[in-house]
């Protein structure tokens, strides 16, 4: 910036760089938690077609917790079955297997497909609603420099990250997205085959005009600026890993074909022509992922992009699908990419600047993981930053972002290695063909892969947010984890593994008899939840146990009282929900201690906090205790973190340990 130029300066709690799925998920948390936030993107618009399209069960559970899963669920194509096609003894492809797309019973949602642009739209609407329009994506804005004042990073009231921003013209913010003479949206401009970093160029041009600069001082910065992340480069972090030789083309078309499984998810291995993956989409669209056998990288490792066009990709698809015929009139989008599997060396600097999404991991898109894992990164990070920025949680919880998510990124790369090998290899001719891929193994890998891909196998390690022993032993935990004792009573709720997401079963509202999936009550408000499995409260000794627990909870010095703030919407950072196992018709709301269904002088009792594991009129209920592995007489207590992961399991008598859990992660003493 020139010295004579007046450069406006401002402070903000959170600055998010990049408004793709990862950045929008972070902004969504900030909107729901009421944190002052800015989100910038160098591009002039969100994307309208192409890129990611698969939404996994866990992502839908998360969308539901923010209140917009129904929009995606209604608009999307539902993926129910996978068909595996392989060459028969005569070399002609035939269907060899069918398997369910989502493992049965894993979640209340199944995998769906809908393009990334719609998902970004749902986020934008939700952010607008919950932030009262105060958080808006500022488009055509990019960072020029980033500095962290290391002397200030320990001071929670400081704004130690200084970012210089540049405001672009509409023209500068619009990438060249269409190949000349074609009306088809071309994703090559963002593909790793052709993409070049344009930030330096944009900033140089922009600097020559006055009034385009701005300085922002932020408490926290989240770099969600994609695979070529400027933020990552500014921090000097690297992506480690490798690119493979496989080049894949992607076409989003409305196919005209006699192939019978075109509305199923299919993998089609041909004998000599490579592999094709069919992904049915919304509005009759089908995405084809096609291995481009005729395009190989040169000595420098880069493929010749001039050989790649919608026609060349489609011709490759036709060969694989033969003897079936396929044609199309409408193509919505196309691209090509080279598989690169990389993970960043670090995910944060000084726990003040964080990286998320493609900025810290890249891999092949066929398993539908890119967008999902990227959103899950910031779903993990967003509430932590929000609670620390609001002075509710201890800054030490921020280190769990890297410890929890870097492992997932590494698992993703390992998964992708295996998955890609199965996709890119040719089918084995017979049992002696060691270089070929056995189709039995392929099916097995696919089935196992589906669990990982669903996002529901995530199991976070011990920390001050996850109170469990390391392995079977109760080792003393170090660093971020030192404040947690390794208290663990997993056996009280075997169906709620500590470190995994709170599974959902149906329960019935005590007050109005309406059945709910319990997860619907774990909304993303930024609140921790204490789920009291109250057991059989018709038994006097059990009722006494519950009353003693509630008395401890209500004491003036309990974590429940001392965590309260005067900072809405998070004035009550902990919510208590109860599921009991006595018969609903034999019990009443008033039988329960008041703290479990609090009274408001203006609106009366809270009728939405006490649930029962009992039969209902129209739905299959009454199996929650059994499925959660909780004793129906004695119950137990479970803590769900704001992101629905189980953090602690104990008995009704273990109040002191519960108090210690919250002392380990929340700023209780300051307000006590
Ligand atoms: P992105 O979606 O890349 O978002 C990054 C955002 O940051 C963009 O809006 C960008 O404009 C902005 N930005 C970049 N640099 C700056 C800067 N310096 N300053 C300000 N803003 C900046 N995944 C699948 O699951 N299935 C697929 O079929 C699939 N196909 C893909 C095809 C292509 C060509 C690409 C590029 C990706 C594809 N992906 C696919 C991956 C998926 O789109 C990503 O994993 C997902 O979008 C990652 O989300 P993100 O928010 O981390 O990054």
């Amino acid at each position: 910036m020139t010295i004579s130029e007046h450069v406006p300066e401002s402070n903000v709690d959170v600055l998010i760089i990049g408004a793709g799925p990862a950045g929008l998920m972070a902004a969504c948390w900030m909107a729901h938690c009421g944190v002052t936030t800015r989100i910038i993107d160098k591009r002039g618009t969100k994307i309208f077609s192409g890129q990611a399209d698969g939404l996994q069960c866990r992502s839908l559970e998360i969308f539901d917790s923010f209140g917009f899963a129904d929009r995606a669920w209604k608009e999307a194509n539902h993926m129910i079955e996978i068909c595996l096609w392989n060459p028969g003894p005569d070399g002609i492809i035939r269907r060899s297997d069918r398997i369910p797309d989502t493992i049965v019973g894993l979640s209340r949602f199944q995998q769906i497909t809908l393009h990334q642009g719609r998902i970004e739209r749902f986020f934008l609407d939700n952010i607008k609603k919950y932030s009262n329009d105060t958080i808006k994506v500022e488009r055509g804005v990019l960072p020029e420099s980033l500095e962290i004042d290391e002397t200030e990073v320990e001071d929670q009231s400081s704004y130690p990250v200084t970012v210089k921003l540049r405001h672009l013209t509409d023209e500068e913010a619009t990438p060249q997205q269409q190949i000349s003479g074609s009306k088809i949206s071309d994703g090559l401009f963002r593909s790793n085959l052709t993409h070049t970093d344009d930030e330096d160029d944009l900033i140089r041009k922009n600097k020559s005009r006055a009034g385009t600069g701005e300085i922002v001082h932020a408490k926290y910065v989240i770099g969600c600026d994609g695979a070529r992340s400027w933020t990552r480069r500014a921090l000097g972090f690297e992506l480690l890993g490798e690119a493979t030789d496989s080049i894949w083309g992607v076409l989003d078309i409305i196919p005209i074909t006699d192939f019978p499984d075109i509305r199923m998810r299919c993998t089609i291995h041909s004998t000599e022509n490579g592999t094709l993956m069919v992904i049915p989409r919304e509005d009759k669209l089908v995405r084809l992922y096609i291995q481009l056998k005729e395009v190989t990288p040169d000595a420098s490792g880069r493929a010749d992009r001039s050989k790649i066009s919608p026609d060349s990709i489609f011709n490759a698809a036709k060969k694989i699908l033969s003897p079936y015929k396929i044609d199309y009139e409408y193509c919505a989008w196309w691209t090509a990419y080279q598989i690169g599997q990389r993970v960043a060396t670090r995910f944060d600097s000084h726990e003040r600047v964080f990286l998320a999404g493609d900025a810290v991991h890249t891999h092949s898109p066929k398993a539908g993981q890119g967008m999902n894992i990227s959103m899950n990164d910031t779903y993990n990070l967003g509430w932590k930053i929000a609670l620390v920025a609001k002075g509710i949680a201890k800054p030490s919880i921020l280190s769990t972002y890297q410890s929890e998510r870097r492992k997932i990124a590494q698992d993703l790369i390992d998964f992708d290695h295996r998955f890609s090998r199965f996709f890119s290899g040719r089918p084995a001719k017979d049992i002696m063909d060691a270089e070929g891929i056995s189709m039995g193994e392929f099916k097995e890998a696919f089935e196992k892969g589906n669990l990982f891909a669903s996002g529901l196998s995530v199991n976070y390690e011990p920390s001050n947010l996850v109170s469990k022993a390391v392995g079977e032993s109760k080792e003393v935990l170090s660093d971020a984890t030192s404040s947690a004792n390794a208290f663990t009573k997993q056996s009280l709720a075997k169906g709620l593994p500590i470190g995994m997401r709170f599974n959902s079963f149906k329960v019935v509202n005590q007050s109005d008899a309406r059945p709910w999936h319990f997860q619907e009550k774990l909304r993303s408000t930024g609140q921790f939840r204490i789920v009291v499995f109250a057991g059989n409260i018709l038994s006097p000794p059990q009722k006494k146990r519950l009353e003693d627990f509630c008395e401890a909870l209500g004491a003036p010095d309990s974590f429940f009282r001392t965590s309260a703030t005067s900072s809405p919407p998070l004035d009550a950072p902990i919510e208590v929900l109860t599921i009991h196992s006595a018969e609903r018709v034999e019990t009443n709301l008033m039988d329960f201690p008041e703290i479990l269904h609090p009274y408001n002088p203006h609106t009366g009792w809270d009728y939405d906090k006490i649930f029962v594991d009992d039969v209902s009129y129209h739905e299959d209920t009454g199996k929650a205790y059994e499925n959660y592995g909780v004793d129906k007489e004695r119950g137990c207590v479970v803590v769900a973190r704001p992101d629905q992961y189980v953090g602690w399991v104990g008995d009704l008598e273990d109040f002191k340990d519960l108090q210690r859990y919250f002392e380990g992660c929340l700023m209780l003493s300051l307000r006590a």
Side-chain angles (χ1 to χ4, degrees):
M1 290 175 199
T2 54
I3 291 175
S4 56
E5 189 185 335
H6 168 72
V7 182
E9 290 196 36
S10 59
N11 289 353
V12 71
D13 284 351
V14 178
L15 173 67
I16 301 165
I17 302 173
L24 291 171
M25 175 68 83
C28 198
W29 263 127
M30 302 309 152
H32 283 254
C33 295
V35 177
T36 326
T37 299
R38 286 180 66 179
I39 173 166
I40 59 167
D41 198 291
K42 71 176 178 181
R43 298 296 180 214
T45 63
K46 73 173 187 65
I47 65 161
F48 290 98
S49 56
Q51 287 203 211
D53 57 3
L55 277 174
Q56 306 291 347
C57 318
R58 180 62 191 143
S59 302
L60 286 161
E61 291 180 1
I62 292 170
F63 288 2
D64 192 45
S65 73
F66 284 117
F68 60 88
D70 54 329
R71 294 185 71 185
W73 193 246
K74 274 186 198 144
E75 268 188 41
N77 174 66
H78 290 226
M79 306 265 273
I80 307 299
E81 191 173 77
I82 301 174
C83 295
L84 306 179
W85 285 70
N86 295 302
D90 53 0
I92 294 175
I93 55 165
R94 60 182 170 72
R95 187 193 302 114
S96 59
D97 247 312
R98 298 175 189 266
I99 53 176
D101 185 272
T102 303
I103 296 170
V104 177
L106 201 58
S107 166
R108 62 205 158 104
F109 294 105
Q110 293 88 48
Q111 189 182 181
I112 58 173
T113 45
L114 183 65
H115 81 78
Q116 188 173 323
R118 286 306 291 156
I119 291 146
E120 293 184 6
R121 166 50 54 209
F122 304 150
F123 270 117
L124 292 167
D125 292 348
N126 195 267
I127 292 165
K128 183 180 165 119
K129 177 176 167 187
Y130 282 90
S131 73
N132 286 326
D133 217 4
T134 58
I135 304 177
K136 295 179 192 164
V137 178
E138 300 169 44
R139 303 215 179 257
V141 182
L142 85 171
E144 179 183 351
S145 68
L146 181 152
E147 281 167 27
I148 307 173
D149 184 344
E150 292 180 23
T151 63
E152 299 221 331
V153 290
E154 300 299 328
D155 176 1
Q156 292 312 310
S157 62
S158 74
Y159 294 81
V161 193
T162 300
V163 184
K164 287 186 189 167
L165 299 180
R166 284 277 161 193
H167 293 252
L168 305 177
T169 61
D170 287 351
E171 196 187 6
E172 286 165 343
T174 308
Q176 181 58 44
Q177 193 178 349
Q178 295 191 337
I179 51 170
S180 63
S182 169
K183 291 201 172 89
I184 305 169
S185 279
D186 157 17
L188 274 187
F189 80 104
R190 290 178 79 168
S191 157
N192 58 4
L193 289 180
T194 57
H195 186 105
T196 47
D197 305 322
D198 55 358
E199 279 88 3
D200 292 348
D201 222 26
L202 288 170
I203 289 167
R204 201 173 39 250
K205 281 190 212 150
N206 188 280
K207 265 182 165 172
S208 58
R209 289 194 313 278
T212 60
E214 182 191 353
I215 292 175
V216 176
H217 303 282
K219 285 188 172 172
Y220 298 96
V221 170
I222 313 178
C224 303
D225 42 356
R228 296 268 169 172
S229 173
W230 176 92
T231 318
R232 187 186 67 232
R233 285 181 279 129
L235 294 174
F237 296 173
E238 279 179 66
L239 276 184
L240 295 183
E242 58 197 37
T244 70
D245 286 350
S246 284
I247 312 288
W248 287 75
V250 188
L251 281 179
D252 283 346
I253 57 171
I254 296 183
I256 304 163
T257 181
D258 58 0
F259 180 65
D261 287 344
I262 200 71
R263 294 305 304 170
M264 299 287 192
R265 180 175 165 197
C266 298
T267 58
I268 305 161
H269 279 91
S270 70
T271 316
E272 299 296 343
N273 297 313
T275 308
L276 170 70
M277 188 158 163
V278 177
I279 306 281
R281 294 256 313 261
E282 73 281 8
D283 297 334
K284 284 198 96 175
L285 279 169
V286 172
R287 172 166 290 189
L288 302 178
Y289 282 103
I290 305 126
Q291 193 177 5
L292 303 178
K293 297 277 271 188
E294 278 145 29
V295 191
T296 45
D298 59 19
S300 72
R302 280 286 166 125
D304 179 359
R305 60 185 262 207
S306 68
K307 287 193 184 155
I308 304 170
S309 66
D311 283 347
S312 70
I313 298 173
F314 189 62
N315 285 335
K318 271 179 155 171
K319 280 191 198 162
I320 298 169
L321 215 52
S322 168
Y324 295 98
K325 305 268 181 299
I326 184 163
D327 210 339
Y328 70 91
E329 285 185 7
Y330 176 71
C331 174
W333 183 80
W334 71 279
T335 191
Y337 62 89
Q338 187 167 0
I339 298 176
Q341 290 143 331
R342 299 189 170 91
V343 184
T345 41
R346 289 174 55 191
F347 278 31
D348 75 81
S349 178
H350 297 88
E351 288 161 21
R352 289 292 193 163
V353 181
F354 296 84
L355 296 170
D358 276 11
V360 274
H361 40 72
T362 65
H363 48 89
S364 73
K366 284 187 299 297
Q369 290 296 283
M371 176 170 59
N372 293 277
I373 297 236
S374 298
M375 293 188 299
N376 272 275
D377 283 347
T378 39
Y379 188 64
N380 178 290
L381 175 64
W383 65 271
K384 295 174 184 171
I385 291 186
L387 264 58
V388 174
K390 288 178 91 80
I392 293 169
K394 291 188 169 168
S396 63
I397 68 167
L398 295 175
S399 68
T400 62
Y401 169 61
Q402 164 150 305
S403 62
E404 293 183 339
R405 295 308 297 177
R406 194 164 187 284
K407 180 175 177 301
I408 303 298
Q410 195 55 58
D411 290 349
L412 169 65
I413 302 305
D414 297 345
F415 164 77
D416 198 50
H417 267 295
R418 289 196 300 277
F419 207 66
S420 298
R421 189 180 81 82
F422 279 116
F423 269 105
S424 303
R426 73 169 166 74
K429 293 192 181 80
D430 53 43
I431 199 160
M432 299 305 287
D433 179 1
E435 282 180 13
I437 304 293
S438 137
M439 289 301 117
E441 257 184 81
F442 178 75
K443 183 187 170 194
E444 203 183 309
F446 217 104
E447 282 172 334
K448 280 192 191 146
N450 271 0
L451 176 61
F452 177 84
S454 71
L456 294 172
S457 60
V458 169
N459 189 348
Y460 292 138
E461 297 288 319
S463 70
N464 53 356
L465 293 169
V466 177
S467 182
K468 65 180 178 185
V470 180
E472 289 302 302
S473 66
K474 292 192 176 188
E475 287 175 28
V476 176
L477 306 172
S478 61
D479 298 325
T481 63
S482 61
S483 53
N485 63 356
F487 177 87
T488 173
K489 285 197 179 173
Q490 182 66 77
S491 59
L492 296 177
K494 291 196 194 79
L496 286 167
I498 303 166
M500 297 187 79
R501 75 91 164 82
F502 205 112
N503 200 358
S504 193
F505 298 104
K506 284 195 173 169
V507 294
V508 180
N509 185 301
Q510 173 68 40
S511 305
D512 62 14
R514 178 175 168 183
W516 290 92
H517 248 294
F518 188 62
Q519 210 180 45
E520 292 176 87
K521 298 292 156 189
L522 306 178
R523 290 184 305 117
S524 289
T525 55
Q527 289 170 299
F528 282 81
R529 300 220 163 64
I530 296 176
V531 182
V532 181
F533 285 88
N536 176 15
I537 60 133
L538 290 177
S539 143
Q542 180 63 12
K543 189 159 187 207
K544 174 80 172 67
R545 290 178 75 216
L546 179 67
E547 284 165 353
D548 290 350
F549 175 81
C550 290
E551 195 182 323
L553 197 63
D557 59 348
S558 90
F559 64 85
F560 184 62
R561 297 289 185 214
T562 56
S563 60
T565 77
S566 53
S567 172
L570 272 171
D571 33 5
I574 301 170
E575 184 186 28
V576 186
L577 297 173
T578 302
I579 307 172
H580 74 90
S581 63
E583 276 185 52
R584 180 178 63 82
V585 293
E586 298 295 323
T587 47
N588 282 307
L589 190 72
M590 300 306 158
D591 296 337
F592 292 84
E594 178 176 341
I595 201 165
L596 302 181
H597 57 106
Y599 183 77
N600 178 314
H602 306 292
T603 57
W605 297 105
D606 192 329
Y607 299 104
D608 203 27
K609 296 268 195 279
I610 299 191
F611 300 86
V612 53
D613 181 25
D614 199 358
V615 290
S616 61
Y617 291 107
H618 307 289
E619 293 185 29
D620 188 19
T621 54
K623 297 186 196 109
Y625 268 63
E626 186 188 331
N627 287 321
Y628 286 131
V630 175
D631 186 290
K632 277 195 111 165
E633 281 301 308
R634 292 181 56 80
C636 70
V637 180
V638 178
V639 172
R641 313 185 329 179
D643 57 0
Q644 303 181 334
Y645 283 79
V646 178
W648 184 95
V649 175
D651 259 315
L652 287 160
E653 286 75 20
D654 293 323
F655 189 83
K656 277 191 185 145
D657 287 293
L658 186 58
Q659 173 87 20
R660 218 166 293 147
Y661 173 86
F662 282 106
E663 283 170 356
C665 56
L666 297 188
M667 300 284 280
L668 307 173
S669 53
L670 292 184
R671 286 184 296 273

